[in-house]
């Protein structure tokens, strides 16, 4: 029998982020506490730009956006938001969406699988993802459970289970 495998990736559905951003923009335009403060959220190239006339308001815009991401099932670990910066009379926050697992993080995950996972499970780094193979599907399920129990500073998804 051939080996079973799955891939560990860190991907974000761009359309879901776009929907969350549009919902946040709509709520910001309608909410009473954002009237007249110049609060906005929009794409700026591949980054997300949040603006308002005070630091508290721009943090509130970020909070609204984060709540919309959570409702859409996107992990906040994928959102990399900077600190509020004063630009003229406006405060701005630039945020980006992190995708892919870095080589260093992939090695950390592979080491955890090697050290704490079942025997006979192999983890192999392939670009920005990690392929995990084993003869036993139960071992693969144990690896998924092990990794879900760990707290990484990046989002993980398990795909191509076969």
């Amino acid at each position: 029998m051939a080996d079973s495998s799955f891939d560990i990736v860190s991907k974000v559905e761009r359309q879901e982020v776009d929907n969350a951003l549009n919902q946040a923009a709509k709520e910001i335009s309608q909410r009473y506490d954002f009237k007249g403060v110049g609060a906005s959220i929009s794409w700026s190239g591949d980054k997300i730009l949040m603006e308002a006339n005070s630091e508290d308001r721009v943090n509130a815009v970020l909070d609204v956006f984060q709540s919309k991401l959570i409702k859409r099932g996107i992990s906040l670990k994928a959102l990399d938001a900077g600190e509020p910066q004063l630009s003229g009379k406006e405060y701005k926050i630039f945020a980006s969406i992190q995708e892919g697992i870095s080589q260093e993080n992939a090695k950390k995950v592979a080491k955890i699988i090697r050290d704490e996972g079942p025997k006979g499970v192999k983890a192999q780094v392939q670009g920005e993802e990690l392929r995990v193979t084993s003869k036993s599907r139960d071992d693969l399920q144990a690896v998924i459970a092990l990794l879900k129990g760990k707290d990484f500073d990046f989002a993980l998804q398990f795909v191509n289970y076969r």
Side-chain angles (χ1 to χ4, degrees):
M1 188 173 131
D3 286 357
S4 299
S5 70
F6 69 90
D7 295 333
I8 301 172
V9 297
S10 182
K11 289 197 166 111
V12 176
E13 192 71 40
R14 173 80 180 204
Q15 187 61 51
E16 289 297 320
V17 174
D18 211 27
N19 291 342
L21 187 126
N22 290 337
Q23 287 177 339
K26 186 172 184 179
E27 182 174 322
I28 288 163
S29 70
Q30 293 175 345
R31 264 181 42 180
Y32 177 76
D33 57 336
F34 286 123
K35 292 276 188 239
V37 296
S40 68
I41 182 169
S42 61
W43 285 104
S44 174
D46 60 348
K47 291 189 180 285
I48 298 162
L49 171 65
M50 292 161 261
E51 296 177 300
N53 66 1
S54 75
E55 192 171 346
D56 292 340
R57 289 282 181 247
V58 80
N59 282 327
V61 171
L62 175 61
D63 199 41
V64 168
F65 182 55
Q66 287 174 335
S67 71
K68 299 300 177 190
L69 285 175
I70 290 169
K71 283 184 182 170
R72 293 219 151 269
I74 298 171
S75 172
L76 290 183
K77 292 177 182 178
L79 180 70
D80 182 26
E83 292 298 311
Q85 299 169 341
L86 184 60
S87 173
K89 293 182 178 176
E90 295 271 304
Y91 280 88
K92 297 181 179 189
I93 294 178
F94 284 99
S96 60
I97 302 295
Q98 301 294 328
E99 286 195 302
I101 303 174
S102 70
Q103 289 290 328
E104 161 189 330
N105 287 336
K107 287 178 184 172
K108 279 184 200 169
V109 173
K111 182 172 177 8
I112 288 171
I113 292 170
R114 241 188 350 266
D115 295 347
E116 301 177 32
K119 298 283 181 237
V121 176
K122 293 185 212 59
Q124 185 178 11
V125 178
Q126 296 180 334
E128 291 191 337
E129 60 183 44
L130 202 67
R131 163 87 31 100
V132 180
T133 57
S134 173
K135 292 199 183 307
S136 164
R137 286 180 170 239
D138 291 342
D139 288 350
L140 292 180
Q141 302 241 324
V143 168
I144 290 175
L146 168 74
L147 294 177
K148 282 186 176 177
K150 298 284 181 190
D151 186 31
F152 295 106
D153 56 351
F154 52 95
L156 291 180
Q157 290 89 30
F158 306 99
V159 297
N160 295 338
Y161 188 84
R162 48 179 166 248

